[in-house]
Amino acid sequence: MNRNIKMCNRDCCELKTALQIRRMKLLIEKRLQEEANAKPKDIIETPQGELYSFDDVQKMANFIINRTEKKPKFGLILSSHVNMLADLVESPVVLQYTDIPKFPVSQLRGNNSKLFVGQIMGGTVIAAQGRMHFYEGNPVGSCTLPVRMFKLCGVEYLIIICSAGAVSAEHNVGDVVAIKDHINIMSWCGSCPLVGLNDARFGQRNPSIIDAYDEMLLAKTTEISREIGQDNRVKTGVYVCVGGPAYETAAEQRFFRKIGADVIGMSMVPEVIIAKHCGLKVLGLTLVTLPAHDVAVPAHNEYATLLMQGKKTCIELVSRIIYKIQNNL
Ligand SMILES: O=P(O)(O)O[C@@H]1C[C@H](O)[C@@H](CO)O1
């Protein structure tokens, strides 16, 4: 008799032949294995910075360049509030995100995210419409992917447009705030798009982002705001980035005001970090869509007018900035 085969109990084993016992043991082992296979496996999350390899992003960029036969110098990421800025793109080649190999498609947005490649004021641009947000359940590494893709397409200047609520009473609905610095609560909570192994082909392991917002682009924005008579509407300020989707509480807003924030929003900053990491010159423009908690929301008609004026100013700024840079003015 095979002494390695253990008996379970008298009824089970003593009355059976060695062959029957062996078969039964194999059957039990098979069942246990099936049960183990059916259990959910531990998921080891891929760190955000490693979600898309350099080679993957390079393939995406090559796809865009081949399809459009253009090498954009300016990248634009649009807030849904200024989607119409894409209409400025002359003779655009329009690509759906879903066309791009391996590009993650947000379940929520499906086919609504697009790239427009063409000319604005003589400069070649690539504009992303339909930003993916972290609060929609997208990994922050996916939200920022367009930035790396732009970089590998040849982009040098990145203009990011977002919307935000005012934190300080000095910023009003319809204002356009050129961002000079940020406070990144999302990173404090561990949601930084650079977490994970660093691929030096994108940038340094520990990039300095102290000067993430390009001085020259900020100066041009202020200069143009004067030229177009909008310097009362165009301001500079500090953006605090939260994960959302819930808006901040009154206590949080008091806290953000105390620590030096001017506007609060749920996008832009992860994109800025990735852009600075890979050496892009960044301009962040924020359209204020809500007043600070202690300021009354303008009445319906006035609100709509202010917002429309803010959108127009934003679009005017972007096209003139591209014109000036393109022509070394
Ligand atoms: O893409 P943006 O910044 O316009 O996103 C909007 C503004 C808030 O951050 C968020 C909620 O309204 O969506």
Side-chain angles (χ1 to χ4, degrees), residues 78-81 131 133 135 161-164 239 247 265-267:
L78 307 181
S79 158
S80 57
H81 286 277
R131 163 189 274 139
H133 295 93
Y135 65 78
I161 304 168
C162 64
S163 58
Y239 178 106
Y247 289 132
M266 305 168 196
S267 64

Side-chain angles (χ1 to χ4, degrees), residues 238-258:
V238 174
Y239 178 106
V240 58
C241 179
V242 292
Y247 289 132
E248 69 284 1
T249 64
E252 283 167 344
Q253 184 160 115
R254 285 196 299 276
F255 167 68
F256 293 143
R257 196 181 270 194
K258 274 203 178 127

Side-chain angles (χ1 to χ4, degrees), residues 104-129:
V105 178
S106 153
Q107 300 253 324
L108 205 73
R109 295 188 175 270
N111 250 344
N112 283 336
S113 297
K114 292 182 196 128
L115 295 174
F116 295 75
V117 187
Q119 310 294 121
I120 293 182
M121 303 295 274
T124 307
V125 305
I126 178 165
Q129 195 186 64

Side-chain angles (χ1 to χ4, degrees), residues 31-44:
R31 293 234 173 92
L32 286 173
Q33 191 56 53
E34 279 168 3
E35 257 177 50
N37 289 346
K39 274 192 197 149
K41 299 276 170 300
D42 288 341
I43 295 169
I44 302 169

Side-chain angles (χ1 to χ4, degrees), residues 153-177:
C153 283
V155 163
E156 294 167 46
Y157 298 91
L158 182 66
I159 304 178
I160 305 180
I161 304 168
C162 64
S163 58
V167 169
S168 93
E170 278 134 54
H171 296 87
N172 308 307
V173 171
D175 282 358
V176 178
V177 184

